[in-house]
Amino acid sequence: MTATAPLTRIEISKEYLHFNSGHFTIFSDTEREDLHGHTFYVKALIDSPVDTTGLAFDYNLVKTRLKTLCDDIDEKILLPERSPYLTLTEKDGYLIAGFGNESLPFLPRDVKTLPVANITVEELAPWFLLRLLEDNEISRLALPRVEVSVSSGPGQWASAVHTVNE
C-alpha cells in the first residue's frame, strides 16, 4: 500500500464575492415573506493536491467565475422557477409572479429567475456550486472536493458540497 499525498484545503472568501438581491421566501401555498433584500456573500472551500511546483491550482479561475455569477444576479429581484406555489407569466411588458391570489408585477430587467424551488441560502449554495463546476476550465482540474457556501447575513450560511470518489 502506498501513501497518498495529503490534500490542501484552499479557502476563497473575498470581500467582492457578494451580491445584493431582493427576494421572498415561500413557506407554503398561503404563506410567504414580504419582499426584502440582503447582501449575500459567497465563499468556496476547495481540496486539492499540491503539485511539484508547490501549487494547488490557479485560484483566479474560481474567483473570476464566482465574481461573474455574483454580478449576474446583483441588484436583481430573484424569483424561483421551480416553486410549486409561484407562477411566472409575462403580460403587458411585465413579469408577473403569482402567489395565491396575489399578482406581483416586475419589470423584466429587474428580475432574475433561477432554476430552484425557493430563494434561500440552501438553494443558492447548490446553484452556485453547479454553475462553478460547469465551467470547463474548473471541471478539467478534477478537484476532489469543492464546497460553496452562501450567507444572507452574519452567522447564517448554507453550503453545498461536491466530492469525487476515486
Side-chain angles (χ1 to χ4, degrees):
M1 176 185 268
T2 60
T4 58
L7 297 175
T8 296
R9 178 160 293 163
I10 306 297
E11 179 174 339
I12 298 171
S13 56
K14 297 294 204 175
E15 178 65 29
Y16 62 78
L17 293 177
H18 73 274
F19 58 99
N20 298 294
S21 293
H23 82 115
F24 50 86
T25 300
I26 301 170
F27 299 107
S28 70
D29 62 344
T30 60
E31 188 180 358
R32 71 170 179 86
E33 292 179 320
D34 290 337
L35 181 64
H36 64 284
H38 295 277
T39 298
F40 293 89
Y41 286 88
V42 179
K43 67 179 178 180
L45 292 172
I46 301 169
D47 291 355
S48 175
V50 176
D51 68 20
T52 58
T53 66
L55 298 173
F57 60 91
D58 183 356
Y59 309 166
N60 287 319
L61 295 172
V62 174
K63 292 188 292 188
T64 301
R65 182 68 175 131
L66 287 176
K67 175 73 168 112
T68 299
L69 291 167
C70 287
D71 289 349
D72 189 44
I73 58 178
D74 189 39
E75 298 184 358
K76 300 290 182 190
I77 301 295
L78 302 180
L79 296 174
E81 296 170 359
R82 296 181 180 161
S83 172
Y85 309 121
L86 190 73
T87 59
L88 300 174
T89 56
E90 292 185 35
K91 183 177 179 187
D92 299 327
Y94 289 92
L95 176 63
I96 309 294
F99 177 78
N101 62 0
E102 299 176 327
S103 293
L104 299 94
F106 297 100
L107 291 171
R109 72 181 217 154
D110 293 331
V111 174
K112 182 74 175 180
T113 64
L114 300 178
V116 297
N118 217 334
I119 303 300
T120 57
V121 291
E122 53 266 43
E123 285 277 69
L124 291 170
W127 180 82
F128 270 93
L129 177 64
L130 291 173
R131 301 295 88 69
L132 186 66
L133 295 174
E134 287 172 350
D135 183 278
N136 289 333
E137 289 183 89
I138 293 170
S139 67
R140 275 193 293 256
L141 296 172
L143 298 164
R145 184 177 183 280
V146 179
E147 177 178 337
V148 175
S149 302
V150 176
S151 167
S152 61
Q156 186 166 301
W157 292 86
S159 300
V161 179
H162 171 78
T163 57
V164 175
N165 297 325
E166 294 186 51

mmCIF file of all heavy atoms in Angstrom, residues 73-117:
data_model
loop_
_atom_site.group_PDB
_atom_site.id
_atom_site.type_symbol
_atom_site.label_atom_id
_atom_site.label_comp_id
_atom_site.label_asym_id
_atom_site.label_seq_id
_atom_site.Cartn_x
_atom_site.Cartn_y
_atom_site.Cartn_z
ATOM 1 N N ILE A 73 -26.457 38.289 -10.793
ATOM 2 C CA ILE A 73 -27.691 38.387 -10.010
ATOM 3 C C ILE A 73 -27.687 39.585 -9.053
ATOM 4 O O ILE A 73 -28.630 39.775 -8.287
ATOM 5 C CB ILE A 73 -27.970 37.073 -9.240
ATOM 6 C CG1 ILE A 73 -26.837 36.691 -8.322
ATOM 7 C CG2 ILE A 73 -28.270 35.949 -10.221
ATOM 8 C CD1 ILE A 73 -27.080 35.424 -7.504
ATOM 9 N N ASP A 74 -26.649 40.414 -9.126
ATOM 10 C CA ASP A 74 -26.548 41.606 -8.283
ATOM 11 C C ASP A 74 -27.620 42.617 -8.682
ATOM 12 O O ASP A 74 -27.876 42.839 -9.869
ATOM 13 C CB ASP A 74 -25.152 42.225 -8.419
ATOM 14 C CG ASP A 74 -24.893 43.333 -7.421
ATOM 15 O OD1 ASP A 74 -25.314 43.203 -6.247
ATOM 16 O OD2 ASP A 74 -24.258 44.331 -7.801
ATOM 17 N N GLU A 75 -28.229 43.219 -7.680
ATOM 18 C CA GLU A 75 -29.245 44.250 -7.869
ATOM 19 C C GLU A 75 -30.432 43.749 -8.692
ATOM 20 O O GLU A 75 -30.998 44.479 -9.511
ATOM 21 C CB GLU A 75 -28.643 45.517 -8.460
ATOM 22 C CG GLU A 75 -27.609 46.132 -7.529
ATOM 23 C CD GLU A 75 -27.049 47.445 -8.014
ATOM 24 O OE1 GLU A 75 -27.414 47.913 -9.109
ATOM 25 O OE2 GLU A 75 -26.221 48.015 -7.289
ATOM 26 N N LYS A 76 -30.819 42.504 -8.447
ATOM 27 C CA LYS A 76 -31.990 41.900 -9.098
ATOM 28 C C LYS A 76 -32.944 41.378 -8.034
ATOM 29 O O LYS A 76 -32.545 41.050 -6.919
ATOM 30 C CB LYS A 76 -31.577 40.726 -10.004
ATOM 31 C CG LYS A 76 -30.632 41.085 -11.117
ATOM 32 C CD LYS A 76 -31.313 41.905 -12.159
ATOM 33 C CE LYS A 76 -30.359 42.222 -13.303
ATOM 34 N NZ LYS A 76 -30.891 43.202 -14.220
ATOM 35 N N ILE A 77 -34.198 41.285 -8.407
ATOM 36 C CA ILE A 77 -35.167 40.527 -7.631
ATOM 37 C C ILE A 77 -35.003 39.086 -8.089
ATOM 38 O O ILE A 77 -35.076 38.802 -9.286
ATOM 39 C CB ILE A 77 -36.606 41.006 -7.898
ATOM 40 C CG1 ILE A 77 -36.781 42.492 -7.555
ATOM 41 C CG2 ILE A 77 -37.616 40.130 -7.155
ATOM 42 C CD1 ILE A 77 -36.624 42.819 -6.093
ATOM 43 N N LEU A 78 -34.767 38.174 -7.170
ATOM 44 C CA LEU A 78 -34.585 36.767 -7.514
ATOM 45 C C LEU A 78 -35.906 36.032 -7.306
ATOM 46 O O LEU A 78 -36.524 36.137 -6.245
ATOM 47 C CB LEU A 78 -33.496 36.140 -6.653
ATOM 48 C CG LEU A 78 -32.119 36.794 -6.736
ATOM 49 C CD1 LEU A 78 -31.135 36.073 -5.828
ATOM 50 C CD2 LEU A 78 -31.610 36.821 -8.165
ATOM 51 N N LEU A 79 -36.316 35.291 -8.334
ATOM 52 C CA LEU A 79 -37.552 34.515 -8.266
ATOM 53 C C LEU A 79 -37.271 33.070 -8.643
ATOM 54 O O LEU A 79 -36.515 32.810 -9.583
ATOM 55 C CB LEU A 79 -38.610 35.093 -9.221
ATOM 56 C CG LEU A 79 -39.109 36.507 -8.907
ATOM 57 C CD1 LEU A 79 -40.046 36.995 -10.011
ATOM 58 C CD2 LEU A 79 -39.811 36.552 -7.551
ATOM 59 N N PRO A 80 -37.900 32.124 -7.934
ATOM 60 C CA PRO A 80 -37.672 30.702 -8.219
ATOM 61 C C PRO A 80 -38.545 30.219 -9.378
ATOM 62 O O PRO A 80 -39.744 30.481 -9.414
ATOM 63 C CB PRO A 80 -38.069 30.020 -6.917
ATOM 64 C CG PRO A 80 -39.144 30.893 -6.355
ATOM 65 C CD PRO A 80 -38.753 32.306 -6.759
ATOM 66 N N GLU A 81 -37.929 29.489 -10.305
ATOM 67 C CA GLU A 81 -38.669 28.927 -11.439
ATOM 68 C C GLU A 81 -39.384 27.633 -11.075
ATOM 69 O O GLU A 81 -40.320 27.233 -11.755
ATOM 70 C CB GLU A 81 -37.714 28.646 -12.606
ATOM 71 C CG GLU A 81 -37.073 29.875 -13.181
ATOM 72 C CD GLU A 81 -35.963 29.557 -14.175
ATOM 73 O OE1 GLU A 81 -35.676 28.362 -14.415
ATOM 74 O OE2 GLU A 81 -35.360 30.510 -14.700
ATOM 75 N N ARG A 82 -38.945 26.953 -10.015
ATOM 76 C CA ARG A 82 -39.449 25.609 -9.709
ATOM 77 C C ARG A 82 -40.316 25.543 -8.449
ATOM 78 O O ARG A 82 -40.519 24.468 -7.903
ATOM 79 C CB ARG A 82 -38.278 24.636 -9.589
ATOM 80 C CG ARG A 82 -37.521 24.490 -10.893
ATOM 81 C CD ARG A 82 -36.389 23.521 -10.774
ATOM 82 N NE ARG A 82 -35.683 23.412 -12.048
ATOM 83 C CZ ARG A 82 -34.467 22.947 -12.178
ATOM 84 N NH1 ARG A 82 -33.795 22.530 -11.112
ATOM 85 N NH2 ARG A 82 -33.889 22.879 -13.360
ATOM 86 N N SER A 83 -40.797 26.673 -7.985
ATOM 87 C CA SER A 83 -41.658 26.655 -6.806
ATOM 88 C C SER A 83 -43.025 26.078 -7.168
ATOM 89 O O SER A 83 -43.621 26.486 -8.168
ATOM 90 C CB SER A 83 -41.860 28.067 -6.253
ATOM 91 O OG SER A 83 -42.848 28.047 -5.236
ATOM 92 N N PRO A 84 -43.538 25.160 -6.348
ATOM 93 C CA PRO A 84 -44.885 24.656 -6.611
ATOM 94 C C PRO A 84 -45.962 25.684 -6.273
ATOM 95 O O PRO A 84 -47.128 25.489 -6.616
ATOM 96 C CB PRO A 84 -44.987 23.424 -5.693
ATOM 97 C CG PRO A 84 -44.006 23.670 -4.601
ATOM 98 C CD PRO A 84 -42.892 24.502 -5.214
ATOM 99 N N TYR A 85 -45.590 26.784 -5.618
ATOM 100 C CA TYR A 85 -46.563 27.777 -5.153
ATOM 101 C C TYR A 85 -46.498 29.111 -5.892
ATOM 102 O O TYR A 85 -47.261 30.010 -5.582
ATOM 103 C CB TYR A 85 -46.370 28.039 -3.658
ATOM 104 C CG TYR A 85 -46.326 26.791 -2.834
ATOM 105 C CD1 TYR A 85 -45.215 26.482 -2.051
ATOM 106 C CD2 TYR A 85 -47.392 25.890 -2.844
ATOM 107 C CE1 TYR A 85 -45.171 25.328 -1.288
ATOM 108 C CE2 TYR A 85 -47.362 24.727 -2.090
ATOM 109 C CZ TYR A 85 -46.249 24.457 -1.308
ATOM 110 O OH TYR A 85 -46.210 23.310 -0.558
ATOM 111 N N LEU A 86 -45.591 29.236 -6.849
ATOM 112 C CA LEU A 86 -45.414 30.507 -7.541
ATOM 113 C C LEU A 86 -45.524 30.273 -9.038
ATOM 114 O O LEU A 86 -44.934 29.324 -9.562
ATOM 115 C CB LEU A 86 -44.025 31.091 -7.211
ATOM 116 C CG LEU A 86 -43.753 32.529 -7.646
ATOM 117 C CD1 LEU A 86 -44.524 33.498 -6.756
ATOM 118 C CD2 LEU A 86 -42.266 32.832 -7.583
ATOM 119 N N THR A 87 -46.276 31.120 -9.705
ATOM 120 C CA THR A 87 -46.340 31.054 -11.171
ATOM 121 C C THR A 87 -45.672 32.296 -11.731
ATOM 122 O O THR A 87 -45.764 33.383 -11.158
ATOM 123 C CB THR A 87 -47.790 30.973 -11.681
ATOM 124 O OG1 THR A 87 -48.510 32.133 -11.221
ATOM 125 C CG2 THR A 87 -48.487 29.722 -11.183
ATOM 126 N N LEU A 88 -44.987 32.130 -12.840
ATOM 127 C CA LEU A 88 -44.326 33.247 -13.512
ATOM 128 C C LEU A 88 -44.888 33.349 -14.913
ATOM 129 O O LEU A 88 -44.820 32.389 -15.681
ATOM 130 C CB LEU A 88 -42.810 33.013 -13.559
ATOM 131 C CG LEU A 88 -42.111 32.858 -12.212
ATOM 132 C CD1 LEU A 88 -40.649 32.483 -12.404
ATOM 133 C CD2 LEU A 88 -42.237 34.121 -11.378
ATOM 134 N N THR A 89 -45.453 34.505 -15.238
ATOM 135 C CA THR A 89 -46.005 34.734 -16.573
ATOM 136 C C THR A 89 -45.604 36.133 -17.027
ATOM 137 O O THR A 89 -45.264 36.987 -16.207
ATOM 138 C CB THR A 89 -47.554 34.615 -16.583
ATOM 139 O OG1 THR A 89 -48.094 35.531 -15.609
ATOM 140 C CG2 THR A 89 -48.013 33.207 -16.256
ATOM 141 N N GLU A 90 -45.654 36.344 -18.330
ATOM 142 C CA GLU A 90 -45.381 37.670 -18.879
ATOM 143 C C GLU A 90 -46.671 38.248 -19.412
ATOM 144 O O GLU A 90 -47.442 37.562 -20.088
ATOM 145 C CB GLU A 90 -44.333 37.578 -19.983
ATOM 146 C CG GLU A 90 -42.967 37.198 -19.446
ATOM 147 C CD GLU A 90 -41.889 37.228 -20.520
ATOM 148 O OE1 GLU A 90 -41.958 38.088 -21.412
ATOM 149 O OE2 GLU A 90 -40.990 36.374 -20.440
ATOM 150 N N LYS A 91 -46.898 39.522 -19.085
ATOM 151 C CA LYS A 91 -48.113 40.198 -19.554
ATOM 152 C C LYS A 91 -47.868 41.699 -19.606
ATOM 153 O O LYS A 91 -47.387 42.285 -18.629
ATOM 154 C CB LYS A 91 -49.289 39.889 -18.627
ATOM 155 C CG LYS A 91 -50.600 40.486 -19.089
ATOM 156 C CD LYS A 91 -51.735 40.093 -18.184
ATOM 157 C CE LYS A 91 -53.008 40.756 -18.697
ATOM 158 N NZ LYS A 91 -54.120 40.550 -17.790
ATOM 159 N N ASP A 92 -48.178 42.283 -20.744
ATOM 160 C CA ASP A 92 -48.093 43.737 -20.926
ATOM 161 C C ASP A 92 -46.717 44.302 -20.554
ATOM 162 O O ASP A 92 -46.609 45.363 -19.956
ATOM 163 C CB ASP A 92 -49.189 44.459 -20.116
ATOM 164 C CG ASP A 92 -50.585 44.070 -20.525
ATOM 165 O OD1 ASP A 92 -50.796 43.790 -21.729
ATOM 166 O OD2 ASP A 92 -51.480 44.025 -19.646
ATOM 167 N N GLY A 93 -45.667 43.567 -20.876
ATOM 168 C CA GLY A 93 -44.314 44.045 -20.613
ATOM 169 C C GLY A 93 -43.833 43.818 -19.197
ATOM 170 O O GLY A 93 -42.776 44.329 -18.823
ATOM 171 N N TYR A 94 -44.576 43.079 -18.399
ATOM 172 C CA TYR A 94 -44.182 42.789 -17.022
ATOM 173 C C TYR A 94 -44.018 41.284 -16.826
ATOM 174 O O TYR A 94 -44.681 40.487 -17.483
ATOM 175 C CB TYR A 94 -45.245 43.279 -16.022
ATOM 176 C CG TYR A 94 -45.303 44.773 -15.899
ATOM 177 C CD1 TYR A 94 -46.174 45.514 -16.684
ATOM 178 C CD2 TYR A 94 -44.489 45.445 -14.994
ATOM 179 C CE1 TYR A 94 -46.236 46.896 -16.583
ATOM 180 C CE2 TYR A 94 -44.539 46.828 -14.893
ATOM 181 C CZ TYR A 94 -45.412 47.540 -15.680
ATOM 182 O OH TYR A 94 -45.459 48.895 -15.576
ATOM 183 N N LEU A 95 -43.169 40.933 -15.889
ATOM 184 C CA LEU A 95 -43.092 39.565 -15.421
ATOM 185 C C LEU A 95 -43.978 39.519 -14.178
ATOM 186 O O LEU A 95 -43.750 40.263 -13.226
ATOM 187 C CB LEU A 95 -41.659 39.167 -15.064
ATOM 188 C CG LEU A 95 -41.483 37.771 -14.479
ATOM 189 C CD1 LEU A 95 -41.890 36.707 -15.497
ATOM 190 C CD2 LEU A 95 -40.057 37.541 -14.042
ATOM 191 N N ILE A 96 -45.005 38.703 -14.217
ATOM 192 C CA ILE A 96 -45.965 38.624 -13.124
ATOM 193 C C ILE A 96 -45.674 37.378 -12.297
ATOM 194 O O ILE A 96 -45.701 36.258 -12.813
ATOM 195 C CB ILE A 96 -47.422 38.540 -13.647
ATOM 196 C CG1 ILE A 96 -47.713 39.641 -14.668
ATOM 197 C CG2 ILE A 96 -48.410 38.563 -12.481
ATOM 198 C CD1 ILE A 96 -47.679 41.034 -14.132
ATOM 199 N N ALA A 97 -45.410 37.588 -11.024
ATOM 200 C CA ALA A 97 -45.249 36.481 -10.086
ATOM 201 C C ALA A 97 -46.591 36.301 -9.395
ATOM 202 O O ALA A 97 -47.069 37.203 -8.697
ATOM 203 C CB ALA A 97 -44.147 36.786 -9.080
ATOM 204 N N GLY A 98 -47.196 35.150 -9.616
ATOM 205 C CA GLY A 98 -48.481 34.860 -8.993
ATOM 206 C C GLY A 98 -48.299 33.971 -7.786
ATOM 207 O O GLY A 98 -47.703 32.898 -7.866
ATOM 208 N N PHE A 99 -48.851 34.424 -6.650
ATOM 209 C CA PHE A 99 -48.784 33.648 -5.417
ATOM 210 C C PHE A 99 -50.168 33.714 -4.779
ATOM 211 O O PHE A 99 -50.612 34.787 -4.370
ATOM 212 C CB PHE A 99 -47.729 34.210 -4.467
ATOM 213 C CG PHE A 99 -47.676 33.494 -3.150
ATOM 214 C CD1 PHE A 99 -47.039 32.271 -3.041
ATOM 215 C CD2 PHE A 99 -48.304 34.021 -2.030
ATOM 216 C CE1 PHE A 99 -47.000 31.593 -1.837
ATOM 217 C CE2 PHE A 99 -48.275 33.352 -0.825
ATOM 218 C CZ PHE A 99 -47.628 32.131 -0.721
ATOM 219 N N GLY A 100 -50.842 32.579 -4.694
ATOM 220 C CA GLY A 100 -52.201 32.579 -4.159
ATOM 221 C C GLY A 100 -53.057 33.527 -4.978
ATOM 222 O O GLY A 100 -53.113 33.417 -6.205
ATOM 223 N N ASN A 101 -53.674 34.477 -4.307
ATOM 224 C CA ASN A 101 -54.491 35.469 -5.028
ATOM 225 C C ASN A 101 -53.729 36.768 -5.289
ATOM 226 O O ASN A 101 -54.323 37.772 -5.672
ATOM 227 C CB ASN A 101 -55.806 35.737 -4.277
ATOM 228 C CG ASN A 101 -55.583 36.311 -2.890
ATOM 229 O OD1 ASN A 101 -54.445 36.515 -2.464
ATOM 230 N ND2 ASN A 101 -56.661 36.562 -2.179
ATOM 231 N N GLU A 102 -52.419 36.759 -5.100
ATOM 232 C CA GLU A 102 -51.595 37.945 -5.328
ATOM 233 C C GLU A 102 -50.945 37.902 -6.702
ATOM 234 O O GLU A 102 -50.541 36.839 -7.172
ATOM 235 C CB GLU A 102 -50.471 38.034 -4.286
ATOM 236 C CG GLU A 102 -50.927 38.139 -2.863
ATOM 237 C CD GLU A 102 -49.758 38.112 -1.878
ATOM 238 O OE1 GLU A 102 -48.744 37.445 -2.151
ATOM 239 O OE2 GLU A 102 -49.862 38.769 -0.849
ATOM 240 N N SER A 103 -50.843 39.074 -7.318
ATOM 241 C CA SER A 103 -50.079 39.242 -8.546
ATOM 242 C C SER A 103 -49.034 40.306 -8.297
ATOM 243 O O SER A 103 -49.378 41.444 -7.982
ATOM 244 C CB SER A 103 -50.986 39.668 -9.704
ATOM 245 O OG SER A 103 -51.872 38.628 -10.034
ATOM 246 N N LEU A 104 -47.778 39.909 -8.416
ATOM 247 C CA LEU A 104 -46.693 40.840 -8.165
ATOM 248 C C LEU A 104 -46.024 41.167 -9.491
ATOM 249 O O LEU A 104 -45.284 40.334 -10.024
ATOM 250 C CB LEU A 104 -45.671 40.231 -7.193
ATOM 251 C CG LEU A 104 -46.194 39.877 -5.802
ATOM 252 C CD1 LEU A 104 -46.633 38.429 -5.738
ATOM 253 C CD2 LEU A 104 -45.121 40.149 -4.784
ATOM 254 N N PRO A 105 -46.269 42.356 -10.051
ATOM 255 C CA PRO A 105 -45.658 42.707 -11.341
ATOM 256 C C PRO A 105 -44.244 43.275 -11.167
ATOM 257 O O PRO A 105 -43.989 44.071 -10.273
ATOM 258 C CB PRO A 105 -46.603 43.779 -11.886
ATOM 259 C CG PRO A 105 -47.209 44.413 -10.669
ATOM 260 C CD PRO A 105 -47.232 43.347 -9.594
ATOM 261 N N PHE A 106 -43.342 42.815 -12.023
ATOM 262 C CA PHE A 106 -41.965 43.296 -12.019
ATOM 263 C C PHE A 106 -41.568 43.641 -13.444
ATOM 264 O O PHE A 106 -41.986 42.967 -14.392
ATOM 265 C CB PHE A 106 -41.003 42.212 -11.503
ATOM 266 C CG PHE A 106 -41.240 41.798 -10.089
ATOM 267 C CD1 PHE A 106 -41.932 40.638 -9.805
ATOM 268 C CD2 PHE A 106 -40.751 42.561 -9.031
ATOM 269 C CE1 PHE A 106 -42.144 40.233 -8.495
ATOM 270 C CE2 PHE A 106 -40.958 42.163 -7.722
ATOM 271 C CZ PHE A 106 -41.659 40.994 -7.448
ATOM 272 N N LEU A 107 -40.724 44.647 -13.603
ATOM 273 C CA LEU A 107 -40.109 44.897 -14.896
ATOM 274 C C LEU A 107 -39.103 43.776 -15.150
ATOM 275 O O LEU A 107 -38.285 43.464 -14.257
ATOM 276 C CB LEU A 107 -39.403 46.251 -14.922
ATOM 277 C CG LEU A 107 -40.314 47.473 -14.881
ATOM 278 C CD1 LEU A 107 -39.484 48.741 -14.680
ATOM 279 C CD2 LEU A 107 -41.133 47.556 -16.158
ATOM 280 N N PRO A 108 -39.129 43.137 -16.300
ATOM 281 C CA PRO A 108 -38.207 42.021 -16.563
ATOM 282 C C PRO A 108 -36.735 42.375 -16.334
ATOM 283 O O PRO A 108 -35.964 41.519 -15.901
ATOM 284 C CB PRO A 108 -38.481 41.666 -18.025
ATOM 285 C CG PRO A 108 -39.902 42.062 -18.232
ATOM 286 C CD PRO A 108 -40.075 43.320 -17.393
ATOM 287 N N ARG A 109 -36.342 43.597 -16.594
ATOM 288 C CA ARG A 109 -34.936 43.979 -16.419
ATOM 289 C C ARG A 109 -34.495 43.959 -14.964
ATOM 290 O O ARG A 109 -33.312 43.918 -14.665
ATOM 291 C CB ARG A 109 -34.674 45.349 -17.039
ATOM 292 C CG ARG A 109 -35.289 46.471 -16.247
ATOM 293 C CD ARG A 109 -35.056 47.827 -16.858
ATOM 294 N NE ARG A 109 -34.855 48.774 -15.765
ATOM 295 C CZ ARG A 109 -34.192 49.869 -15.866
ATOM 296 N NH1 ARG A 109 -33.634 50.221 -17.006
ATOM 297 N NH2 ARG A 109 -34.050 50.665 -14.838
ATOM 298 N N ASP A 110 -35.461 43.984 -14.039
ATOM 299 C CA ASP A 110 -35.155 43.995 -12.616
ATOM 300 C C ASP A 110 -35.149 42.605 -11.984
ATOM 301 O O ASP A 110 -34.862 42.472 -10.801
ATOM 302 C CB ASP A 110 -36.175 44.857 -11.864
ATOM 303 C CG ASP A 110 -36.073 46.322 -12.227
ATOM 304 O OD1 ASP A 110 -34.972 46.771 -12.589
ATOM 305 O OD2 ASP A 110 -37.099 47.022 -12.152
ATOM 306 N N VAL A 111 -35.472 41.583 -12.782
ATOM 307 C CA VAL A 111 -35.672 40.235 -12.246
ATOM 308 C C VAL A 111 -34.681 39.255 -12.848
ATOM 309 O O VAL A 111 -34.340 39.336 -14.025
ATOM 310 C CB VAL A 111 -37.109 39.745 -12.540
ATOM 311 C CG1 VAL A 111 -37.297 38.297 -12.128
ATOM 312 C CG2 VAL A 111 -38.129 40.634 -11.853
ATOM 313 N N LYS A 112 -34.269 38.311 -12.027
ATOM 314 C CA LYS A 112 -33.516 37.153 -12.495
ATOM 315 C C LYS A 112 -34.230 35.929 -11.922
ATOM 316 O O LYS A 112 -34.415 35.829 -10.712
ATOM 317 C CB LYS A 112 -32.065 37.217 -11.998
ATOM 318 C CG LYS A 112 -31.205 36.093 -12.466
ATOM 319 C CD LYS A 112 -30.854 36.240 -13.918
ATOM 320 C CE LYS A 112 -29.882 35.158 -14.336
ATOM 321 N NZ LYS A 112 -29.518 35.242 -15.718
ATOM 322 N N THR A 113 -34.668 35.048 -12.816
ATOM 323 C CA THR A 113 -35.271 33.806 -12.349
ATOM 324 C C THR A 113 -34.190 32.730 -12.306
ATOM 325 O O THR A 113 -33.309 32.702 -13.161
ATOM 326 C CB THR A 113 -36.440 33.361 -13.243
ATOM 327 O OG1 THR A 113 -35.958 33.063 -14.547
ATOM 328 C CG2 THR A 113 -37.521 34.440 -13.314
ATOM 329 N N LEU A 114 -34.283 31.888 -11.297
ATOM 330 C CA LEU A 114 -33.298 30.828 -11.121
ATOM 331 C C LEU A 114 -34.008 29.476 -11.087
ATOM 332 O O LEU A 114 -35.118 29.375 -10.561
ATOM 333 C CB LEU A 114 -32.523 31.026 -9.819
ATOM 334 C CG LEU A 114 -31.737 32.327 -9.675
ATOM 335 C CD1 LEU A 114 -31.054 32.393 -8.312
ATOM 336 C CD2 LEU A 114 -30.717 32.472 -10.781
ATOM 337 N N PRO A 115 -33.360 28.424 -11.596
ATOM 338 C CA PRO A 115 -33.963 27.087 -11.619
ATOM 339 C C PRO A 115 -33.889 26.404 -10.253
ATOM 340 O O PRO A 115 -33.232 25.383 -10.076
ATOM 341 C CB PRO A 115 -33.139 26.359 -12.679
ATOM 342 C CG PRO A 115 -31.787 26.988 -12.583
ATOM 343 C CD PRO A 115 -32.055 28.442 -12.269
ATOM 344 N N VAL A 116 -34.569 27.002 -9.282
ATOM 345 C CA VAL A 116 -34.599 26.493 -7.913
ATOM 346 C C VAL A 116 -36.046 26.521 -7.420
ATOM 347 O O VAL A 116 -36.910 27.156 -8.024
ATOM 348 C CB VAL A 116 -33.692 27.329 -6.973
ATOM 349 C CG1 VAL A 116 -32.225 27.240 -7.390
ATOM 350 C CG2 VAL A 116 -34.135 28.786 -6.926
ATOM 351 N N ALA A 117 -36.305 25.865 -6.280
ATOM 352 C CA ALA A 117 -37.655 25.809 -5.723
ATOM 353 C C ALA A 117 -37.965 27.003 -4.823
ATOM 354 O O ALA A 117 -39.136 27.333 -4.614
ATOM 355 C CB ALA A 117 -37.850 24.510 -4.940
#
